[in-house]
Amino acid sequence: MDPGPLYGLSLIPYLGFLWWAQQSKSLPRLSIWGFRLTLLFVFMTIIFAILADQIYGLELVEVDAYHGAAEAFLVVSDALVVLGFIRAGQQQVVKNS
């Protein structure tokens, strides 16, 4: 079975999550940007996979430079998610009375 259609269908709930996150006032804005950038990671992974196939006739995981470049987008998006939650945790006011 070709997993391609399932991969595309998985974007539907993720887009729903992004919509909910945008509406929610409880998620840090920086983290929401990190979640959005995950879509850029998906797009760049597709681009690099096509390049690896067209240029080298190999899969993405077999071309280290392309695979690493694609994963770099995931690192940036994940870092923004984590940084947003860290900052939000640091900004919480503790009332000791």
Side-chain angles (χ1 to χ4, degrees):
M1 179 174 140
D2 180 19
L6 292 176
Y7 187 67
L9 285 174
S10 71
L11 289 177
I12 294 171
Y14 194 76
L15 291 173
F17 164 73
L18 285 179
W19 178 84
W20 172 83
Q22 181 68 34
Q23 304 305 313
S24 172
K25 302 299 179 201
S26 60
L27 289 176
R29 305 308 285 160
L30 188 58
S31 294
I32 293 172
W33 274 106
F35 287 125
R36 288 177 184 154
L37 284 177
T38 301
L39 290 176
L40 179 61
F41 156 71
V42 170
F43 178 73
M44 294 309 295
T45 298
I46 293 167
I47 297 298
F48 284 122
I50 291 170
L51 288 174
D53 181 52
Q54 295 295 314
I55 294 172
Y56 299 106
L58 299 171
E59 293 189 21
L60 179 60
V61 297
E62 298 174 291
V63 183
D64 287 340
Y66 290 170
H67 189 231
E71 291 294 324
F73 286 94
L74 183 59
V75 169
V76 170
S77 66
D78 287 349
L80 288 178
V81 169
V82 170
L83 185 59
F85 282 111
I86 288 172
R87 284 186 180 174
Q90 292 172 343
Q91 292 175 355
Q92 288 182 348
V93 177
V94 177
K95 295 181 181 181
N96 294 328
S97 49

